[in-house]
Amino acid sequence: MKIEKLSIGKNHAVLTGYIQRNAPEVKIASRRPAVLILPGGGYEFVSNPENEPVSLEYSAKGFQAFTLEYSVKEKGVFPVPEIEVMLALAEIRAHAEEWFVDKDKIVLVGFSAGGHLAASVGVHWNRPELLEAAGIKDAEEAKPNAMVLVYPCITAGEYSYPGIASVHGKGLSEEKLKLLSVQNYVGPHTPPTYLCHTAEDTCVPVMNTLLFAEALARNKIPFETRIFKDGHHGMSLATVAVRPDVEKLPEDVRELLKEPKVQTHIRKAMAAFSVWMQESLNFLFNIFNM
């Protein structure tokens, strides 16, 4: 494996590629499907547990894996991160031969606010004003072929995570703010999508996922949705690789986590939620006829 880093867009977002070399004895090695991972962070930061660990997991399953550290805070106002994602997709396609990528099998994988960003590109990738701002002449270069949305933010209206409007939508007109409720822009151009969430998520309400799933269903877009009963927001892979350092948590949280019932609940929730990775792979293998 070799690691490639490219600067994307005017804010120099960082595209990192974990490139597996061609292996003649492996059937898919000459042209692998690819994932572009968009970590969460409320458009305030880029979450580490949803970054490289997820890339390596998809890489182990046969994908060329990429992550994008997109613009956040005052630099991350719509449509700057969307343009960065579109440019990253175009860049991956431009290097498809060098990086052994199947340019017709590129997946956006987004978590939380990164899920909003992925879904936003999934519904807005063919908007002429975004393509013009990105300098992309052929819209197909910026098209995701599928999406995986994990506890995604979807709407800027009711049930929204506040940062969608206050950070990503800061200073936008009412007309532009409407574009951030991405469920309203699902159409035939939207790619097949796997979604998952937990019913007890108190940060990003599960209604976000349900709103997008409903829009996909109405537009007859292939999709799968998994709603887990238990689990907090931000579990990422729900494995040891992304387990938080308890000592760095606030004291009241540390005390709560010492309670046996809480520990048992968290263990069960993480064990259940961890299956989303294999489910997403099954969905993608089916969509791509692999």
Side-chain angles (χ1 to χ4, degrees):
M1 177 184 290
K2 64 176 180 177
I3 297 177
E4 298 273 2
K5 285 187 180 288
L6 276 73
S7 175
I8 301 291
K10 64 181 182 180
N11 292 339
H12 305 291
V14 179
L15 175 66
T16 303
Y18 301 83
I19 312 299
Q20 300 181 68
R21 300 178 189 278
N22 189 8
E25 67 274 17
V26 178
K27 183 177 181 180
I28 66 168
S30 60
R31 284 289 186 275
R32 296 176 185 265
V35 291
L36 175 57
I37 294 158
L38 307 174
Y43 287 113
E44 294 277 3
F45 63 95
V46 174
S47 168
N48 288 323
E50 297 158 352
N51 201 332
E52 186 175 79
V54 180
S55 298
L56 296 178
E57 193 72 21
Y58 273 108
S59 179
K61 303 301 184 181
F63 288 74
Q64 300 293 27
F66 300 84
T67 65
L68 183 67
E69 295 183 27
Y70 52 89
S71 294
V72 294
K73 295 185 177 180
E74 67 277 359
K75 293 182 178 181
V77 176
F78 178 89
V80 173
E82 279 82 356
I83 290 171
E84 291 169 348
V85 174
M86 291 166 67
L87 287 170
L89 289 168
E91 199 70 52
I92 293 169
R93 287 192 167 97
H95 289 82
E97 185 171 350
E98 175 189 353
W99 292 344
F100 313 116
V101 168
D102 185 334
K103 61 174 65 178
D104 295 320
K105 297 176 182 176
I106 302 180
V107 185
L108 289 181
V109 180
F111 297 80
S112 194
H116 179 269
L117 179 55
S120 184
V121 173
V123 301
H124 294 316
W125 61 269
N126 60 351
R127 293 184 76 87
E129 65 271 29
L130 295 189
L131 291 165
E132 182 179 357
I136 296 174
K137 294 182 179 180
D138 182 357
E140 293 294 316
E141 295 179 12
K143 176 184 177 179
N145 302 114
M147 294 192 294
V148 173
L149 307 179
V150 184
Y151 41 82
C153 305
I154 292 296
T155 180
E158 188 181 5
Y159 309 114
S160 70
Y161 173 77
I164 300 304
S166 64
V167 181
H168 192 45
K170 188 175 182 179
L172 295 185
S173 65
E174 286 298 318
E175 197 62 31
K176 285 286 183 67
L177 276 173
K178 291 179 182 178
L179 296 175
L180 304 189
S181 290
V182 295
Q183 78 276 8
N184 296 326
Y185 299 91
V186 172
H189 64 294
T190 306
T193 304
Y194 170 88
L195 308 98
C196 66
H197 219 118
T198 62
E200 68 175 13
D201 191 330
T202 58
C203 180
V204 176
V206 68
M207 280 301 298
N208 281 261
T209 280
L210 296 177
L211 285 169
F212 202 74
E214 180 189 29
L216 292 167
R218 277 192 281 104
N219 286 274
K220 297 180 172 56
I221 306 299
F223 76 99
E224 288 184 8
T225 304
R226 180 66 178 269
I227 307 299
F228 298 89
K229 174 180 173 291
D230 303 316
H232 58 82
H233 188 73
M235 288 194 290
S236 182
L237 295 169
T239 63
V240 174
V242 294
R243 187 174 296 168
D245 185 350
V246 175
E247 295 305 315
K248 293 181 180 179
L249 296 174
E251 185 176 353
D252 58 335
V253 177
R254 293 201 304 270
E255 289 302 313
L256 179 65
L257 290 176
K258 290 178 182 178
E259 296 183 14
K261 287 185 178 180
V262 173
Q263 292 179 2
T264 300
H265 179 77
I266 291 174
R267 281 199 300 271
K268 287 183 177 180
M270 293 187 72
F273 190 75
S274 66
V275 304
W276 77 260
M277 168 61 75
Q278 187 57 53
E279 288 184 351
S280 78
L281 290 166
N282 294 342
F283 177 77
L284 296 174
F285 293 156
N286 180 269
I287 290 296
F288 293 149
N289 295 314
M290 293 175 61

